[in-house]
Amino acid sequence: MVSSWVVVVVMVMAMVTAGRPEDQADSLKQEHLIRDTLLQGYHKEALPQKPSVITITQFSIRDLEMHEGAHRLSLHAWLGFMWMDKRLSWKPEDYGGLRKLSFSSRQVWLPDLSVYNAGDAEATLISSKFRVTVKPSGEVLYVPSLDLHYSCVADLTYWPHDTHNCTLKIGSWVHDGNSIDIRVKEGTNVQMEVTKSSQGHMDTMEWEIIDSKIIAESKYYDCCSEPYVSMRAILVARREAPAYTWLIKTPAVCLILLTMVLFILPPRAGEKITFGGLCIILNLMFLVFAHGTVRNAPSHTPLLVQLVTLQLVLAVSSVLMSSVVIRAARAPYTSPPGPSLHRFSLTIAPAMGLSSYLKQASGQGRLGTGTPKSDEVELGSEAESLRCGEQGVVAGQWLLFGAVLDRVALAVYFGITIIVLIRFSCVL
């Protein structure tokens, strides 16, 4: 029982002794002393040693944004750098066992690393607003949070499923490889930092890195005999945005199918021209929308834009064909179509489901005789229908010819649509 109390008393005394203000004051005094000693006569503009080896230890991306119009990639990332500065080394036993110090970046030497292919005027990579960590051996660790903007030629061939291969190049702006050597720690690669929101859902980004590589390279220029060392971070980013299926791809397919309505309307319907004009306007609006993203595509026109442009040409062609059909079906001809045209109409009409037009062409399809009402009555123009009915067999034969042209154009357009959808299936 007595021994237990002794143990408790000893532990309490040890805890009190460890937290004495005198010990804390001594620790602060040791830190002040080592800082004054290390920085005395320290010149932050002088190289720690030659060559100074800068090792890339970390490359973590928190956010990524591709600016297709400007051909620029923006990264919010953490980069880790490590180098040796023997001027900042000390023996821990001489300073109360102190094994780590933190210095302001304005107090110590920093490598003059820059982004060679920067996308804006701010090319300097190393900033003095972040602190560095120093170990007794003189090892300096610097992990800044950076916003990197650099050039990347956008490949918009498969937009909006585009994939871009971008290279970030970092190196010293002044010193050659004999003064500053850049290396990459073994196993270091680009990592995506994915966090969870307070509701437990994953934060999502529009882009996904599907491949990456970090390499250090040495290059000789014609002007100089010494090597120049740089680091290249190669990123292959793919767009992952399901909303584009609803905002871009589905409307593009609907525009293709919408034009078919032109050939389904009755051959005498003047609304065919109005509806065709509306289809042309919708296609132009889609191209204007896509222009803001793909106008600066350097080498390839996006396949989806090619698809809509082709659809625009088909819509214009369909309106022209509908004009010919309306002209054939509504004009007050006094003579029937030529024998060859009429034989063609009589041959094709049954296969096209135009039996009612065959009756009108033979003089059996008159209003009030039990036959189906004419096209113009369906569209609300009964007076025109009566006048057409009075023209007799000649008007019926021209109407049959116009209806046959309409159905043939529909079959041709449908075949072209199937071929187009198969051709551009990779972006649909």
Side-chain angles (χ1 to χ4, degrees), residues 196-262:
K196 289 186 177 182
S197 63
S198 58
Q199 290 78 19
H201 301 293
M202 285 289 184
D203 289 343
T204 58
M205 291 192 302
E206 182 181 354
W207 296 92
E208 176 188 5
I209 294 181
I210 59 177
D211 192 17
S212 63
K213 181 169 57 176
I214 303 178
I215 58 176
E217 61 179 7
S218 180
K219 186 175 183 180
Y220 289 86
Y221 294 92
D222 296 336
C223 65
C224 314
S225 59
E226 62 273 7
Y228 284 84
V229 183
S230 61
M231 181 274 287
R232 288 197 303 154
I234 303 173
L235 308 178
V236 181
R238 178 177 60 194
R239 191 192 303 269
E240 292 291 340
Y244 275 84
T245 300
W246 304 99
L247 295 175
I248 296 179
K249 295 189 295 183
T250 301
V253 175
C254 290
L255 288 176
I256 297 176
L257 301 177
L258 193 62
T259 309
M260 289 187 184
V261 178
L262 276 176

Side-chain angles (χ1 to χ4, degrees), residues 7 31 52 98 205 288 307 313 423:
V7 172
E31 183 175 342
S52 294
L98 188 62
M205 291 192 302
V288 170
L307 170 63
V313 174
R423 166 64 178 84

Side-chain angles (χ1 to χ4, degrees), residues 69-122:
H71 295 284
R72 186 177 67 177
L73 183 66
S74 298
L75 298 179
H76 178 60
W78 290 273
L79 268 71
F81 303 92
M82 188 270 290
W83 63 87
M84 296 297 296
D85 192 342
K86 292 297 183 181
R87 298 173 298 178
L88 299 177
S89 60
W90 72 92
K91 294 181 178 180
E93 57 271 17
D94 295 341
Y95 297 94
L98 188 62
R99 295 191 174 276
K100 185 170 67 174
L101 282 176
S102 173
F103 286 94
S104 170
S105 300
R106 298 181 180 87
Q107 296 177 295
V108 299
W109 176 84
L110 296 176
D112 63 317
L113 299 181
S114 301
V115 179
Y116 285 169
N117 56 335
D120 51 22
E122 185 62 37

Side-chain angles (χ1 to χ4, degrees), residues 284-304:
L284 289 174
M285 291 178 62
F286 185 95
L287 293 176
V288 170
F289 166 76
H291 177 264
T293 301
V294 304
R295 65 182 182 274
N296 294 326
S299 57
H300 298 87
T301 303
L303 293 177
L304 195 62

Side-chain angles (χ1 to χ4, degrees), residues 155-178:
D155 183 1
L156 299 173
T157 303
Y158 296 97
W159 178 80
H161 295 300
D162 40 332
T163 300
H164 307 288
N165 192 329
C166 303
T167 300
L168 170 67
K169 191 171 183 179
I170 296 174
S172 174
W173 197 256
V174 176
H175 299 93
D176 55 59
N178 297 327

